[in-house]
Amino acid sequence: KTDLHQSDESGRLRLHAGARATASGAIARRVPGIGDVNYDAFGVVGSTGLRWNHRSGFGAFVSLDQGFRVPNLQETTVLGDTGSKFEVPNAELLPEYSNAAEVGLSYRGSSVHTTVSGHATWLDGLIDEQDATWEGQSEVDGKPVVMRVNANGGVYWGASLESLWHHGAWSSSLRASYTFGEVDRGDEVVAGRRVPPPMGAFTLAYAISDELWVDTRVHGAGSQTRLHPSDQQDLRICETVQFSGELDENCAGSPAWVAADIRAGWSMSESMELIVKLQNLGDTQYRVHGSGTDQPGRSIWATVRYRMPK
């Protein structure tokens, strides 16, 4: 890894570059349906980035990163019911390779710190799922049979914003993100698997004193209607009613939601703090996309934090 930087009266320019070599392998004996699984892989990947910081507080950055992921033993050997599907093993899986790029702008002032960035990742040999059969059946106990395979590729891209502000006893934060993904299967292009919807959160805090503080947070997500075929068979996303164990055949994805919380904290000592949280004030029924569990409704929580004295 190499790290070079240069400074002058206007600011600082920093360049970094590096490479990594990785070897990985696995052995599994007597896997049902395919016998022994024995594979290994070796890959060399690189990364580089350039960052410029101006003395005014403005900055810019760009980075390029490569990676590769070797299939794990579950992906190559699992056979049976894994929740919402029946998986069959594939000993022919190959590693997937990625090329990622990120570019962004930032500003760091006396009371404001803001970063906005965009990113994209291109995947070659993306490990995906396709319909399969087991003992001539496309379903086992009502669950679809699938196998992990290497797709032609895929692309994921998105943007994010983070802004922090403080003035006297007041402070706030704003975070937002958007992600889009799709998979090229050769004969068709489908949505990426479990791609999160647009998400955001805004927090406003006030320090009443050195020992007391209070804040309020509004957070939420947009709807996610672009579903990978496996998402449509995933109980965490398309269950008719929570814990019913039944798939919604007309599943439209995850609906949008907004929730609000209020917290208050009291530093009882240098090592102990009490935090009381009023959660989900509007009693909104929602779940984070792909989580499979509804979040708590209107509720109150109390937490005591203790830190060992130095």
Side-chain angles (χ1 to χ4, degrees):
K1 182 177 180 180
T2 300
D3 196 338
L4 304 174
H5 59 85
Q6 181 177 352
S7 301
D8 58 27
E9 295 182 356
S10 62
R12 182 180 184 184
L13 185 66
R14 179 177 180 179
L15 170 69
H16 74 265
R20 183 180 76 250
T22 302
S24 179
I27 300 174
R29 304 295 186 189
R30 297 180 295 279
V31 177
I34 57 177
D36 293 346
V37 172
N38 187 346
Y39 62 91
D40 58 73
F42 177 80
V44 178
V45 295
S47 65
T48 185
L50 184 66
R51 185 175 187 92
W52 170 72
N53 290 319
H54 193 267
R55 294 191 182 278
S56 64
F58 287 96
F61 58 90
V62 60
S63 64
L64 301 172
D65 296 277
Q66 294 179 309
F68 88 105
R69 183 176 79 86
V70 178
N72 58 49
L73 279 175
Q74 170 162 337
E75 293 169 325
T76 54
T77 66
V78 67
L79 172 64
D81 187 341
T82 57
S84 59
K85 55 200 171 187
F86 186 96
E87 294 192 54
V88 296
N90 181 4
E92 304 301 322
L93 273 180
L94 300 173
E96 62 179 25
Y97 295 84
S98 65
N99 291 283
E102 183 179 20
V103 60
L105 300 172
S106 65
Y107 174 73
R108 182 184 293 273
S110 59
S111 60
V112 178
H113 181 199
T114 299
T115 302
V116 58
S117 63
H119 58 86
T121 301
W122 295 267
L123 295 155
D124 183 25
L126 169 69
I127 296 178
D128 192 24
E129 294 179 352
Q130 72 175 23
D131 294 336
T133 60
W134 175 250
E135 296 181 344
Q137 303 296 315
S138 60
E139 289 188 359
V140 175
D141 295 331
K143 298 183 178 181
V145 179
V146 300
M147 174 188 291
R148 309 286 180 112
V149 296
N150 292 102
N152 281 3
V155 60
Y156 290 78
W157 58 268
S160 64
L161 166 70
E162 180 177 20
S163 184
L164 307 175
W165 168 84
H166 66 87
H167 180 74
W170 292 93
S171 62
S172 68
S173 67
L174 173 64
R175 294 179 174 86
S177 63
Y178 173 79
T179 304
F180 178 91
E182 61 183 20
V183 178
D184 180 4
R185 290 181 159 183
D187 57 342
E188 63 176 341
V189 175
V190 300
R193 186 181 179 197
R194 298 186 69 188
V195 175
M199 302 182 70
F202 174 75
T203 301
L204 180 64
Y206 179 71
I208 301 171
S209 67
D210 291 340
E211 293 79 25
L212 295 172
W213 58 266
V214 62
D215 71 21
T216 181
R217 182 177 71 136
V218 178
H219 56 117
S223 62
Q224 180 55 284
T225 59
R226 298 186 70 254
L227 300 180
H228 185 279
S230 293
D231 293 344
Q232 297 171 348
Q233 303 294 324
D234 194 329
L235 290 172
R236 292 169 295 184
I237 299 173
C238 288
E239 193 174 23
T240 53
V241 179
Q242 188 174 5
F243 306 129
S244 70
E246 298 179 355
L247 282 170
D248 181 357
E249 295 181 357
N250 300 312
C251 177
S254 298
W257 58 270
V258 176
D261 311 322
I262 293 179
R263 297 188 308 164
W266 173 35
S267 296
M268 296 179 286
S269 68
E270 292 184 358
S271 57
M272 187 173 294
E273 183 180 35
L274 170 65
I275 298 175
V276 177
K277 179 178 181 180
L278 302 177
Q279 182 170 293
N280 197 355
L281 299 178
D283 202 24
T284 302
Q285 182 177 350
Y286 73 96
R287 67 173 58 180
V288 176
H289 179 67
S291 68
T293 304
D294 289 343
Q295 296 299 299
R298 186 184 297 116
S299 53
I300 182 169
W301 301 74
T303 304
V304 176
R305 292 179 177 175
Y306 178 76
R307 293 182 294 271
M308 294 291 292
K310 295 182 179 179

